[in-house]
Amino acid sequence: MGTTARERYRLRRAPRNVFCPKYSECLWAAVELELAGWSCEGCMHMDENAGIGETDFSEYYWLLHAIFKPEMYTRSRLILGEEP
């Protein structure tokens, strides 16, 4: 028997922790079992975090600065003693 529309909707709204260290294992298990979806609700790993660190965006900011304000970019890099 297939999954009902109501069940598919509930599974799409189900809580999942994408930062969980076990998330990819659960995702693959759901694919292999051909599940319509799954939930992390009640799982002992629900609140775990895989330790994904913050990203340093400073180089991206410098790139945007160079593109949209090239004169300020050059001056800022020279003030910091860096090669523009």
Side-chain angles (χ1 to χ4, degrees):
M1 186 169 141
T3 308
T4 65
R6 179 174 287 176
E7 181 68 10
R8 285 192 304 272
Y9 177 80
R10 186 189 69 75
L11 288 170
R12 277 197 306 270
R13 300 281 185 232
R16 293 192 191 112
N17 176 8
V18 296
F19 300 111
C20 175
K22 306 282 186 188
Y23 184 82
S24 61
E25 293 174 37
C26 294
L27 177 61
W28 280 111
V31 169
E32 287 178 4
L33 295 170
E34 298 180 7
L35 299 177
W38 88 97
S39 170
C40 295
E41 198 168 33
C43 177
M44 62 193 230
H45 303 289
M46 176 65 179
D47 297 321
E48 290 183 25
N49 186 326
I52 297 172
E54 290 185 28
T55 302
D56 179 13
F57 289 103
S58 60
E59 295 302 319
Y60 299 107
Y61 296 139
W62 279 116
L63 176 61
L64 291 171
H65 204 173
I67 293 169
F68 295 108
K69 297 283 188 178
E71 66 287 343
M72 291 180 71
Y73 167 79
T74 303
R75 203 170 1 166
S76 298
R77 293 301 254 202
L78 290 173
I79 290 170
L80 292 172
E82 300 174 359
E83 192 68 31

